[in-house]
Amino acid sequence: MARGNRRLTRGARYRRYTGGPDPLAPPVDISEALDAIGEDVMAGYSPERAMREFLRRGGEGRAGLDDLARRVAERRRELTSRHNLDGTLQEAKKLLDRAVLEERKQLARDVDLDEGVRALSEMQLDSLPGSIAAAVSELNDYRWQSSLARQDFEAIKDLLGREVLDQRFAGMKRALENATDEDRAAVKEMVDDLGELLAAHRRGEDTSQQFDDFMAKHGDFFPEDPQTIDELIDALAQRSAAAQRMLNSMSPEQRQELEALAQQAFGSPELMESLGRLDGELQALRPGEDWTGSNSMDGDVGLGLGDGTGVFQDLADLDELTEQLSQSYAGSSMDDLDPDKLARQLGEDAVADARALQQLEQALRDSGTMKRAPDGQLRLTPKAMRRLGKTLLRDVADRMSGRTGNRDLSRAGTAGEFSGATREWVFGDTEPWDVTRTVTNAITRTAAAGGATGEGVRIELGDVEIQETEARTQACVALLVDTSFSMALEGRWVPMKRTALALHTLITSRFRGDDLLLVGFGRHAAAMEIEQLVGLDAMYDKGTNLHHALMLANRHFRRQPRAQPVLLVVTDGEPTSHLEPDGDVYFSYPPEPLTVARTVRELDSSMRLGAQTTFFRLGDDPALARFVEAMAKRVDGAVVAPELDDLGAAVVDSYLGSRWPGGRFDARTATYGDVFGDRGFWTG
C-alpha cells in the first residue's frame, strides 16, 4: 500500500491554476481602498470617480491601472522604436544583388560561352533599373547562365509569395518554406474558395454546411480553429486591417515598390488578384476595423510583410489595452480588460495584477459600501459612511490622546455612570444586568417554590435586575459649518467635512439619545444629511449667511425643549449675507450693520433657548477674530482657534464638554472608554 502511495506521489504534477481566480488566494482587503475613496469623496470626487482613482493608483504593494498602462506604453514604444518597415525590400534586394553577382562571376569564368551571348547578358545586367520591382520584372525573361543565380532569383518570387500570404494568414511564411508547386496550388485553391464563401456571406446566401465543408477541406490553414464563419471573418479582418495599416505607414516610394514587387509573388499575378478581392470582401464585412491608421517606425530591425503585420496587430492590441486601462468611457469596468491580450503583450504577472484589481472592484461593489442610485451614479452607503466615520473618529481620538498624554484604556463607561443601585427590569430598559442579583433572585424563587436548585437554575423575567445609572442629559446639537467660497479657496473644505463626519459618528454610535443637526451655510444655509454634506462639491458662491444657519439651529432647539442645546459654529469669515423677510438673500462685502444685527439677534435667541455656544475660528483674519470674540462674549460662549489638522479633535472636545456629567469634560482624566466605549470604539 505504501509502495502504491509512493508511486502516486512521484506521478503527481503541479502547475499554475487556470480555472479562474485562485481558490486559495486570501480574501480581498478593501479597508485601504475604502479609506482612500472616502478621503477623495470628501475632497469633492464622486464615489465612482474616487473608486476609479484608487484603481488607477493602486494600493500598498499592489500595482494600479496607471502602472499597467505605463507598461503598455513602454511596450508600444519598444515596438515602434526598434523596427522599420523595409525588411521585405531589403531581403529581396539582397537576393537580387547576390543573383546578379553570381551571374557576373559565371559569365567571367565560362570561356566556352558564345561571345554574343556574353555581351548581351552583360548589357542586360548593366542596364538593370534601380527599382527592385522593375529589375525583377525585367529579369523574368533573362536566360541565367549560373544555376546559383537562378536559385536566388527564384527565391525572390518564393519569398514574396510567402510574405504576401503571411500578411493575411499568420504562420504561412514558415509553413510554405520549401513548398512544392502542389502546395502552392492548394493555397491558391483555398484563397479562391475563401473568397467565394465570404462573397456568399456578404450577400446572405451562405449556409452553415458551406462553412463546414470549407473548414473540412482547408481547416489546416487556420490554426485558430474558428467555429463559425463570423469567428473566421473576425480573425481574417483583424489581420488584413493590420496589413493595410502597415502599408499606410510606409513612405509612398516604399509602398509603390512593394505593391509592384508583390505582383511577382510565386510568379503568379493571379494570386495577388485573389488576395485583393479577399481584402475587399473583408473590408466590406468588417468596416469597423481600422483600415486607415498608421504608425511611424524608425528602428534598425527590418520587418517583413508577415512579421510587420504581426507587429501591427500587437500595436492594435496595445492600443485597445490602453483604452481599456483608461476606464474613461461610459459604462467602463475592470471586466472590460482582455486577459489574453494582456498576457500576450505583458505576460502573466500583468494578468495577475489586473485580476487583483478586478476582484477589488467587485468586492467594493458587493460589500454593501457602494450602491447604484436611481440616477445611475454610485453612492456611498450608510455602511461605508460609518466605516469612514470610525476611521476619522479614531484619528480624533489619537489627537486628543496626543494632546493630553492619555493612552487607550479598556474601562467601560458612558455619560451615565453607574450609581451602585439596582432595580427590576422593565420593557425598554437598555442598562446592563446585575448578574449577581439576577441569579440570586432566581435561586431564591426556585427554593421558595420547593424546587431543587442542584439541577440548574431557570431565570425568568421577574428575576432580572439592572444596574441603575445617573441621569444622563440629552443634548440637542447643531453643527453649523461654513461652506462659503473662502473655505474651498483656503483648503479648509476637507477638514470641515472630516470634522462633521467624526462628530456625526460619535453621536450616532455612542450618544444615540442626542440629536444632531448639520447645517451648511454659504450665501444661504441648508440642513443636510451627513451623506449629502460629505459628497458636497466645493461651493464657489461668495457669501457667509450665519444668520440663516442660526435660524435653522434655533428651530432645531425649539423642537426639543427638554434637551440641552449645544451650538457649534465652524467659520472662516464674518457674516456677509442674511435672509430677508420675503426669503431673498441679501449679500454685501464688507459686511453691513444690518447683516450683523440680524445675525446677533438670532444668536441672542440661541442664548435664550439655553444653548452652550462655541465658535471655531479658522484663519488669522483680525476682523473675524474681533467679531467671534464679541459674539462669544455676548452669549457667554467660547472661541477656539484650532489648526486645520486639529479641528476635528477641537469640535469633539467641545461637544463632550458641553454634555459631560457636571457640564465639563476633562480630557486629562477621562479615558477612551469614557468617550468611545469599552474595548475601544474605533476598532469596531
Side-chain angles (χ1 to χ4, degrees):
M1 189 70 179
R3 209 172 286 157
N5 285 338
R6 282 198 295 271
R7 282 200 298 272
L8 287 173
T9 301
R10 285 199 300 271
R13 292 291 184 269
Y14 297 92
R15 57 181 61 90
R16 183 188 298 273
Y17 180 75
T18 58
D22 185 355
L24 300 180
V28 178
D29 182 9
I30 63 173
S31 56
E32 179 190 7
L34 285 176
D35 291 344
I37 289 171
E39 289 290 333
D40 284 346
V41 167
M42 286 190 290
Y45 288 14
S46 69
E48 183 90 41
R49 182 184 172 192
M51 181 177 69
R52 296 290 174 215
E53 287 299 317
F54 182 81
L55 293 175
R56 298 185 74 80
R57 296 191 302 265
E60 188 71 26
R62 178 188 292 118
L65 292 173
D66 283 347
D67 182 68
L68 291 174
R70 175 186 56 77
R71 292 164 62 185
V72 166
E74 289 175 354
R75 168 73 172 151
R76 197 182 195 288
R77 276 196 302 272
E78 177 191 356
L79 290 177
T80 55
S81 63
R82 180 184 177 190
H83 299 108
N84 62 60
L85 301 178
D86 60 355
T88 298
L89 286 174
Q90 293 301 320
E91 194 169 353
K93 185 177 187 305
K94 180 180 177 181
L95 289 170
L96 179 63
D97 290 345
R98 194 166 68 187
V100 171
L101 179 60
E102 286 296 330
E103 181 69 5
R104 289 185 185 280
K105 289 179 181 179
Q106 181 64 31
L107 291 174
R109 62 174 172 258
D110 190 354
V111 295
D112 296 330
L113 184 66
D114 182 81
E115 289 301 323
V117 173
R118 188 195 313 275
L120 179 61
S121 298
E122 289 178 346
M123 183 179 67
Q124 284 183 277
L125 295 178
D126 290 340
S127 62
L128 286 176
S131 164
I132 302 172
V136 171
S137 178
E138 190 165 319
L139 289 173
N140 274 328
D141 298 326
Y142 179 80
R143 296 179 60 185
W144 297 92
Q145 303 300 317
S146 167
S147 59
L148 292 177
R150 185 183 299 107
Q151 289 177 12
D152 285 338
F153 182 74
E154 294 299 327
I156 295 175
K157 298 180 180 180
D158 182 70
L159 168 69
L160 293 172
R162 290 186 291 121
E163 287 281 16
V164 296
L165 286 172
D166 204 37
Q167 274 192 303
R168 279 77 173 181
F169 311 98
M172 195 69 79
K173 181 179 179 180
R174 285 183 291 275
L176 289 180
E177 195 169 6
N178 301 319
T180 64
D181 290 340
E182 185 179 350
D183 295 330
R184 298 188 188 100
V187 171
K188 177 67 168 57
E189 184 181 10
M190 180 273 292
V191 172
D192 291 340
D193 290 349
L194 178 60
E196 292 178 7
L197 175 64
L198 296 183
H201 182 74
R202 182 167 56 84
R203 295 191 303 269
E205 299 173 358
D206 64 314
T207 64
S208 58
Q209 185 61 48
Q210 187 178 1
F211 170 76
D212 292 340
D213 291 343
F214 174 84
M215 291 301 297
K217 184 178 180 181
H218 303 297
D220 291 343
F221 290 104
F222 304 95
E224 306 92 346
D225 191 25
Q227 298 301 304
T228 65
I229 190 171
D230 285 318
E231 290 183 9
L232 175 65
I233 293 172
D234 287 340
L236 291 173
Q238 290 168 10
R239 183 86 178 170
S240 180
Q244 185 60 52
R245 292 195 299 275
M246 180 180 178
L247 288 175
N248 297 341
S249 304
M250 295 177 179
S251 66
E253 294 78 11
Q254 286 178 317
R255 186 163 53 250
Q256 183 178 0
E257 186 81 353
L258 270 175
E259 288 174 349
L261 196 58
Q263 298 300 321
Q264 314 296 325
F266 292 146
S268 171
E270 293 82 5
L271 175 62
M272 287 306 300
E273 293 177 6
S274 298
L275 291 175
R277 288 193 296 270
L278 179 63
D279 290 339
E281 293 290 352
L282 290 171
Q283 191 163 356
L285 289 167
R286 293 293 185 270
E289 292 289 339
D290 183 6
W291 299 90
T292 59
S294 63
N295 284 279
S296 61
M297 296 273 188
D298 52 7
D300 299 326
V301 180
L303 288 171
L305 293 179
D307 291 339
T309 299
V311 168
F312 273 78
Q313 280 190 295
D314 287 341
L315 292 175
D317 284 352
L318 292 168
D319 290 341
E320 189 172 341
L321 286 172
T322 298
E323 183 178 10
Q324 292 169 1
L325 290 167
S326 73
Q327 295 285 286
S328 58
Y329 48 92
S332 61
S333 77
M334 290 297 301
D335 290 338
D336 297 341
L337 279 179
D338 189 323
D340 294 332
K341 291 180 180 178
L342 201 59
R344 282 199 303 269
Q345 303 303 330
L346 300 184
E348 290 296 334
D349 289 344
V351 177
D353 290 337
R355 281 180 177 155
L357 292 173
Q358 285 176 325
Q359 292 168 12
L360 177 61
E361 181 191 44
Q362 193 61 45
L364 286 169
R365 295 183 185 277
D366 294 344
S367 64
T369 57
M370 292 186 178
K371 65 179 179 181
R372 188 72 63 179
D375 61 0
Q377 297 296 315
L378 279 182
R379 296 283 187 269
L380 292 181
T381 64
K383 178 180 178 180
M385 298 298 295
R386 288 193 299 271
R387 178 182 180 85
L388 181 58
K390 289 179 180 180
T391 300
L392 298 176
L393 197 54
R394 181 199 313 125
D395 294 341
V396 167
D398 289 343
R399 286 192 170 275
M400 292 174 69
S401 175
R403 293 189 305 174
T404 62
N406 289 341
R407 293 184 178 274
D408 176 14
L409 301 178
S410 296
R411 182 169 72 84
T414 64
E417 293 297 320
F418 297 129
S419 66
T422 64
R423 62 175 173 81
E424 184 179 351
W425 177 87
V426 295
F427 180 78
D429 283 337
T430 59
E431 287 80 3
W433 288 14
D434 187 315
V435 177
T436 302
R437 294 295 299 271
T438 298
V439 174
T440 300
N441 291 341
I443 293 174
T444 303
R445 176 182 51 76
T446 302
T453 59
E455 299 177 356
V457 178
R458 180 182 178 85
I459 297 176
E460 297 182 357
L461 285 179
D463 301 326
V464 178
E465 291 196 27
I466 61 172
Q467 303 180 53
E468 287 190 328
T469 58
E470 297 173 353
R472 173 175 163 177
T473 304
Q474 182 184 10
C476 182
V477 186
L479 175 62
L480 316 184
V481 290
D482 194 338
T483 58
S484 63
F485 171 74
S486 58
M487 289 286 286
L489 188 65
E490 299 295 334
R492 297 161 184 156
W493 197 256
V494 174
M496 173 270 290
K497 290 184 178 183
R498 291 171 62 92
T499 298
L501 183 52
L503 181 62
H504 177 273
T505 302
L506 177 61
I507 290 176
T508 55
S509 301
R510 287 296 297 147
F511 300 98
R512 294 186 179 91
D514 292 356
D515 193 1
L516 173 64
L517 174 72
L518 297 173
V519 177
F521 62 97
R523 184 175 286 263
H524 65 277
M528 298 181 179
E529 297 295 328
I530 186 61
E531 294 84 2
Q532 182 183 3
L533 178 60
V534 167
L536 188 66
D537 287 337
M539 310 288 284
Y540 292 99
D541 287 337
K542 295 182 179 180
T544 306
N545 198 336
L546 182 57
H547 166 245
H548 191 188
L550 289 169
M551 290 176 64
L552 297 177
N554 290 336
R555 186 185 305 167
H556 179 59
F557 296 151
R558 292 187 184 98
R559 290 196 184 112
Q560 302 183 62
R562 296 184 180 180
Q564 169 61 53
V566 177
L567 178 62
L568 308 171
V569 182
V570 178
T571 185
D572 71 344
E574 301 172 79
T576 55
S577 61
H578 65 265
L579 204 62
E580 295 281 11
D582 60 2
D584 289 339
V585 173
Y586 178 84
F587 168 77
S588 175
Y589 182 83
E592 289 199 357
L594 179 60
T595 298
V596 174
R598 293 195 174 179
T599 303
V600 170
R601 185 175 66 189
E602 282 301 322
L603 186 64
D604 288 344
S605 296
S606 300
M607 180 182 65
R608 288 192 294 271
L609 291 169
Q612 298 182 23
T613 303
T614 305
F615 287 90
F616 299 89
R617 175 174 59 82
L618 304 180
D620 300 321
D621 182 9
L624 173 63
R626 289 192 298 270
F627 172 77
V628 296
E629 288 288 349
M631 294 278 277
K633 183 176 181 181
R634 182 182 184 91
V635 296
D636 195 23
V639 176
V640 181
E643 297 294 330
L644 281 180
D645 290 343
D646 212 29
L647 176 61
V651 170
V652 168
D653 194 3
S654 177
Y655 160 71
L656 293 171
S658 68
R659 57 106 49 246
W660 203 257
R664 298 192 62 181
F665 168 70
D666 189 348
R668 293 170 299 176
T669 59
T671 68
Y672 275 111
D674 291 328
V675 182
F676 305 108
D678 57 337
R679 291 189 297 277
F681 165 81
W682 57 90
T683 62

